[in-house]
């Protein structure tokens, strides 16, 4: 019995630790002291320090004592791979938390911010570990509904509320599609266990229809074209830290799950979903890039660029081999570092000056050389220029995509990378070369955002150059 | 010749669909809520027809009793319930109608084509079994999803409070 109990705690370690953090924060909220007018005593500093330390501990604990096994009648699984994926998300959340320091310092609801943020993370963990459609669905909801509240966290801004409304409507719609698909699946198969589904697939038209509904629901969450309409508005309206969380962590987790589900559970319908993924990839890359070129608001630009990045990831996913799964995971790590570095700079500037347009960033290098370099390197990585890790990430994605012999797809992806260079370099040009009478004033970074940006910077350089990182992920997939 | 059961099924289904159509086409939002109520009651009727009385009771308690009342509350708090909503333009109506019909026909034809067979096993739906499965940690148990729902509800509660509370502190400081 004690062995079983120890097993239980080890297998559910990441979830339980996260729950512990959530409840510590909630109890701290009860005992927190307030000034007479309801503002926190020391500008939230102590709360934010505690939160970041807890998240750091949570991240570090993710490296130890990872075991494999199933729980709850095989509906929950934990392997080295899921532990690794969860820890990537832990790291990403820590980085988002570090970067949101400047914004949260003046916010009245810091505890609630963390509670909602970590609840969504818990949902993602459950989703990654799920081996049952019901648990998967609940994880998906848990990772979306609190996020809609987070999108609304710029409480005075109407745009923020509008974005939250749009997001919750869209996620309700996609959930409906998913549930309809799942219930029809259940009708045809009589089981929703991931392990039992492969044997129950019979390739009938109805099951294909269910698969399309399932992929449509995934498409909404990763904002693949044509399911992307909510993305730009929500990203623009949401506070920048929430935008980074949405575009990186939330998307990354869904991509992890999508890879697992399509590769393992629906391998028997590989021919069908290969075509769907190819069409989605092409549409997503082209639309994302074309719209990104036109944007003047940096947040909107990064929203569309993140749509385009998903297109590249789908190219890798269409490889249908181990390299496909490995390169997707590898690219998500790189994407977390690169996008968080870029959005981190924007987040700090936006929190302190409220400026978010590309033209506002003219002459940024004169006043903030350090931040300019970080932004430039992050953008280079997003564009896929060597020696930043973005190059290696995209390289492996295209290589995996080419493994299936669809060279048209790879050529389209390569052409799109050139288009994406244009708008990324447009920002770099504004930052470094354009003159400006009133540039953004010099920004003194607090310790936490600085640390967050430095981790991102190191990540961008190291994950690309250290070939061990790719091999490590490959071993994780091979060990399954 | 249709059996009596089949006739009942079609009557209930037609009622559900009719109420659903009325709910989305009426221009008074309060009536829309009431039609939704009718549709949900119809679904409860469908559950009774299937002889799953417990699910039917849950449907009535949760949806009819709880959710529709919540919807009506929020309509009273936010909308002018007597006023008519602005008329939607014709092209949008036509296209949404086409989308609905296409989706409906596609789903129907696929389901019809699949030809579901009636199961041979007897259907045991005792309430005690539902309870056992819901809190069972073993195979086919749903203890973990149950706990996940509780976290989801907690998060939703906190999210709602933060959003709804927003104007209070600013007023008190001014």
């Amino acid at each position: 019995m004690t062995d079983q109990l120890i097993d239980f705690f080890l297998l559910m370690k990441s979830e339980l630790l996260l729950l512990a953090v959530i409840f510590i924060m909630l109890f701290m909220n009860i005992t927190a002291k307030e000034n007479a007018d309801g503002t926190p005593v020391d500008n939230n500093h102590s709360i934010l320090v505690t939160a970041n330390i807890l998240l750091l501990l949570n991240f570090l604990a993710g490296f130890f004592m990872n075991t494999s096994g199933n729980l709850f009648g095989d509906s929950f699984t934990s392997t080295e791979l899921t532990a690794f994926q969860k820890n990537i998300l832990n790291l990403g959340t820590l980085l988002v938390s570090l970067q949101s320091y400047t914004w949260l310092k003046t916010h009245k609801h810091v505890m609630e911010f963390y509670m909602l943020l970590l609840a969504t993370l818990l949902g993602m963990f459950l989703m990654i570990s799920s081996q049952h459609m019901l648990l998967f669905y609940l994880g998906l909801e848990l990772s979306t509904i609190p996020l809609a509240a987070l999108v609304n966290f710029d409480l005075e801004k109407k745009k923020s509320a509008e974005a939250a409304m749009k997001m919750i409507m869209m996620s309700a719609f996609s959930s409906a599609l998913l549930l309809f698909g799942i219930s029809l699946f259940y009708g045809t198969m009589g089981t929703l266990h991931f392990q039992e589904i492969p044997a129950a697939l019979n390739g009938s038209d109805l099951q294909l229809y269910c698969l399309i509904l399932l992929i449509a629901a995934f498409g909404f969450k990763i904002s693949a074209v044509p399911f992307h309409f909510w993305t730009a508005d929500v990203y623009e309206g949401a506070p920048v830290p929430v935008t980074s969380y949405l575009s990186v962590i939330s998307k990354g987790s869904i991509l992890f799950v999508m890879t697992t589900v399509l590769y393992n559970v629906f391998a028997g319908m590989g021919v069908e979903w290969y075509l769907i993924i190819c069409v989605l990839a092409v549409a997503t890359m082209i639309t994302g890039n074309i719209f990104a070129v036109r944007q003047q608001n940096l947040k909107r630009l990064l929203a569309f660029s993140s749509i385009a990045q998903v297109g590249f990831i789908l190219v890798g996913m269409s490889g249908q081999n181990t390299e496909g799964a490995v390169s997707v995971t590898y690219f998500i790590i790189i994407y977390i570092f690169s996008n968080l570095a870029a959005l981190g700079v924007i987040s700090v500037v936006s929190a302190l000056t409220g400026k978010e347009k590309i033209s506002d960033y003219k002459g940024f290098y004169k006043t903030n050389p350090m931040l300019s370099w970080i932004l430039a390197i992050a953008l280079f990585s997003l564009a896929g220029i060597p020696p930043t890790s973005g190059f290696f990430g995209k390289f492996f994605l295209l290589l995996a995509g080419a493994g299936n012999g669809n060279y048209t797809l790879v050529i389209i992806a390569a052409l799109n990378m050139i288009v994406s260079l244009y708008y990324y370099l447009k920002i770099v040009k504004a930052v470094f070369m354009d003159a400006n009478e009133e540039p953004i004033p010099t920004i003194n970074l607090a310790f936490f955002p600085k640390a967050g940006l430095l981790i991102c910077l190191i990540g961008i350089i190291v994950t690309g150059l250290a070939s061990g990182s790719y091999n490590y992920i490959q071993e994780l997939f091979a060990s399954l | 010749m249709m059996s009596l059961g089949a006739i009942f099924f079609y009557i209930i289904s037609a009622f559900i669909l009719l109420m659903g159509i009325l709910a989305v086409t009426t221009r008074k939002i309060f009536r829309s809520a009431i039609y939704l109520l009718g549709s949900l009651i119809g679904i409860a009727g469908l559950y009774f027809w299937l002889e799953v009385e417990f699910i039917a009771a849950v449907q009535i308690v949760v949806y009819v009793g709880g959710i529709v009342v919540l919807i009506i509350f929020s309509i009273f708090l936010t909308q002018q319930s007597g006023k008519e909503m602005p008329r939607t333009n014709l092209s949008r109506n036509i296209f949404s109608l086409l989308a609905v019909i296409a989706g409906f026909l596609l789903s129907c034809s696929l389901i019809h084509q699949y030809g579901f067979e009636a199961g041979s096993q007897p259907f045991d739906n005792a309430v005690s079994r539902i309870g056992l499965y819901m809190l069972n940690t073993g195979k086919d148990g749903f203890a973990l999803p149950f706990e996940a729902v509780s976290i989801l509800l907690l998060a939703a509660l906190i999210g709602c409070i933060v959003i709804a509370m927003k104007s209070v502190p600013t007023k008190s400081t001014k």
Side-chain angles (χ1 to χ4, degrees):
Chain A
M1 188 61 209
T2 46
D3 277 0
Q4 261 183 357
L5 209 59
I6 292 169
D7 256 6
F8 172 81
F9 278 111
L10 284 183
L11 288 173
M12 290 205 77
K13 183 192 65 176
S14 17
E15 287 79 11
L16 292 172
L17 274 176
L18 205 56
L19 263 183
V21 176
I22 291 176
F23 280 103
I24 292 173
M25 304 282 286
L26 275 179
F27 285 122
M28 274 180 62
N29 197 21
I30 296 172
T31 55
K33 291 194 184 80
E34 283 182 350
N35 292 334
D37 59 349
T39 51
V41 175
D42 58 345
N43 269 342
N44 295 328
H45 183 72
S46 56
I47 301 174
L48 286 166
V49 171
T50 324
N52 283 319
I53 289 174
L54 286 173
L55 283 176
L56 179 66
L57 290 177
N58 183 34
F59 167 60
L60 292 177
F63 285 109
F64 301 106
M65 309 221 275
N66 291 320
T67 49
S68 312
N70 291 346
L71 280 177
F72 293 100
D74 293 345
S75 65
F76 178 95
T77 184
S78 178
T79 59
E80 298 261 327
L81 179 67
T82 59
F84 178 69
Q85 289 176 335
K86 285 174 191 171
N87 223 18
I88 294 173
L89 300 180
N90 268 337
L91 175 65
T93 312
L94 173 66
L95 289 173
V96 171
S97 158
L98 288 172
Q99 289 174 358
S100 48
Y101 177 80
T102 322
W103 171 64
L104 283 177
K105 230 165 53 170
T106 51
H107 204 284
K108 285 201 181 82
H109 301 287
V110 179
M111 283 300 179
E112 290 86 346
F113 174 82
Y114 276 103
M115 195 278 153
L116 294 170
L117 193 77
L118 297 180
T120 61
L121 191 62
L122 184 71
M124 292 166 199
F125 284 5
L126 288 176
M127 197 164 64
I128 287 174
S129 275
S130 66
Q131 289 286 303
H132 192 281
M133 281 285 186
L134 183 68
L135 188 58
F136 160 71
Y137 168 71
L138 279 173
L140 194 72
E141 288 297 293
L142 185 51
S143 68
T144 334
I145 294 176
L147 258 181
L150 282 177
V151 169
N152 200 359
F153 247 61
D154 262 348
L155 293 169
E156 302 82 28
K157 286 190 191 156
K158 211 171 177 185
K159 226 174 184 178
S160 182
E162 186 191 322
M165 196 63 209
K166 277 180 183 157
M167 183 173 167
I168 200 119
M169 292 305 251
M170 272 321 209
S171 71
F173 185 62
S174 73
S175 295
L177 289 183
L178 180 67
L179 280 177
F180 189 51
I182 290 178
S183 48
L184 287 179
F185 255 135
Y186 188 64
T188 62
M189 300 188 295
T191 177
L192 289 176
H193 263 286
F194 284 178
Q195 287 151 351
E196 294 165 7
I197 288 176
L201 287 178
N202 54 20
S204 62
D205 291 351
L206 187 58
Q207 286 191 347
L208 180 61
Y209 181 48
C210 302
L211 184 70
I212 292 171
L213 289 175
L214 189 73
I215 292 180
F218 278 132
F220 267 109
K221 305 289 176 188
I222 60 173
S223 58
V225 177
F227 311 109
H228 66 289
F229 293 102
W230 58 280
T231 317
D233 288 347
V234 171
Y235 283 16
E236 192 189 354
V240 187
V242 180
T243 305
S244 5
Y245 190 79
L246 264 173
S247 72
V248 177
I249 319 290
S250 165
K251 231 176 228 186
S253 69
I254 309 267
L255 283 164
F256 285 146
V257 182
M258 190 173 170
T259 320
T260 324
V261 168
L262 289 183
Y263 274 62
N264 298 340
V265 184
F266 293 103
M269 295 176 100
V271 184
E272 286 88 353
W273 67 251
Y274 169 70
L275 285 174
I276 302 173
I277 294 291
C278 282
V279 173
L280 282 183
V282 172
T284 308
M285 282 187 295
I286 293 177
T287 318
N289 273 329
I290 288 175
F291 278 89
V293 168
R294 297 173 45 207
Q295 301 306 320
Q296 293 305 317
N297 181 307
L298 261 180
K299 274 159 88 182
R300 268 186 104 82
L301 189 146
L302 282 176
F304 281 109
S305 99
S306 82
I307 293 178
Q309 302 280 357
V310 165
F312 293 113
I313 295 175
L314 290 177
V315 172
M317 206 182 281
S318 77
Q320 294 191 311
N321 41 25
T322 323
E323 280 76 40
V326 178
S327 65
V328 168
T329 312
Y330 180 63
F331 186 77
I332 289 169
I333 302 174
I334 292 162
Y335 179 60
I336 285 180
F337 286 131
S338 318
N339 219 19
L340 281 184
L343 279 165
V345 175
I346 297 168
S347 163
V348 173
V349 174
S350 161
L352 292 175
T353 65
K355 291 181 175 175
E356 286 173 359
K357 286 212 178 93
I358 296 178
S359 53
D360 294 333
Y361 277 77
K362 284 180 181 168
F364 190 53
Y365 178 65
K366 290 262 162 56
T367 47
N368 296 289
M370 193 61 208
L371 285 179
S372 302
W373 276 112
I374 293 173
L375 185 63
I377 291 172
L379 291 172
F380 279 141
S381 178
L382 284 172
I385 297 173
T388 54
S389 56
F391 166 73
F392 298 99
K394 287 222 171 108
F395 177 71
F396 284 123
L397 281 178
L398 297 196
L399 205 63
N404 218 345
N406 193 345
Y407 295 111
T408 331
L409 184 63
V410 178
I411 289 169
I412 294 174
L415 289 177
N416 269 291
M417 281 173 70
I418 300 171
V419 177
S420 72
L421 264 180
Y422 167 72
Y423 57 81
Y424 288 126
L425 291 184
K426 198 167 75 175
I427 307 173
V428 176
K429 174 178 169 283
V431 168
F432 282 89
M433 295 159 91
D434 289 354
N436 193 352
E437 307 263 297
E438 297 166 14
I440 293 166
T442 309
I443 290 167
N444 279 323
L445 273 184
F447 170 73
F448 283 127
K450 204 184 266 175
L453 287 175
L454 279 180
I455 297 173
C456 289
L457 197 62
I458 294 167
I460 291 174
I461 294 163
V462 170
T463 37
L465 295 181
S467 57
S469 50
Y470 186 81
N471 290 342
Y472 177 67
I473 302 171
Q474 208 159 23
E475 276 166 29
L476 287 179
F477 272 96
S479 70
L480 287 183
Chain B
M1 184 62 202
M2 260 192 276
S3 68
L4 197 61
I7 293 172
F8 268 112
F9 172 79
Y10 285 115
I11 290 174
I12 297 172
S13 308
F15 176 73
I16 295 171
L17 283 179
L18 180 74
M19 284 297 165
I21 291 168
L22 283 174
V24 291
T25 48
T26 182
R27 284 171 57 206
K28 284 185 177 163
I29 192 158
F30 186 73
R31 287 193 188 173
S32 176
I34 299 300
Y35 288 133
L36 181 68
L37 183 81
S39 177
L40 292 171
I41 290 175
I43 291 174
L46 208 56
Y47 288 139
F48 275 119
W49 180 82
L50 285 168
E51 294 177 18
V52 281
E53 289 84 4
F54 180 72
I55 307 288
V58 169
Q59 167 82 12
I60 289 177
V61 170
V62 174
Y63 284 92
V64 180
I67 290 180
V68 170
V69 170
L70 270 183
I71 290 175
I72 290 173
F73 258 121
S74 42
I75 289 173
F76 278 145
L77 285 175
T78 55
Q79 290 273 345
Q80 290 141 318
S81 49
K83 263 194 181 170
E84 291 202 342
M85 308 282 278
R87 198 181 285 276
T88 49
N89 56 15
L90 188 68
S91 66
R92 188 187 289 180
N93 279 346
I94 291 173
F95 281 117
S96 41
L97 195 69
L98 282 177
V100 167
I101 290 174
F104 184 74
L105 288 181
L106 180 69
S107 309
C108 279
S109 70
L110 284 170
I111 293 170
H112 182 71
Q113 184 192 334
Y114 190 81
F116 285 99
E117 285 168 23
S120 54
Q121 288 172 336
F123 186 40
D124 178 12
N125 59 340
V127 179
S128 59
R129 273 166 58 91
I130 297 176
L132 279 177
Y133 278 119
M134 192 151 82
L135 295 176
N136 192 347
T137 55
K139 178 121 176 86
D140 294 331
F142 294 107
L144 187 59
F146 184 77
E147 295 302 328
V149 170
S150 60
I151 297 287
L152 176 59
L153 289 178
L154 178 66
L157 206 64
I158 290 178
C160 287
I161 292 171
V162 173
I163 292 170
M165 222 172 63
K166 63 184 174 186
S167 58
V168 180
T170 45
K171 263 180 197 165
S172 65
T173 48
K174 267 173 194 172

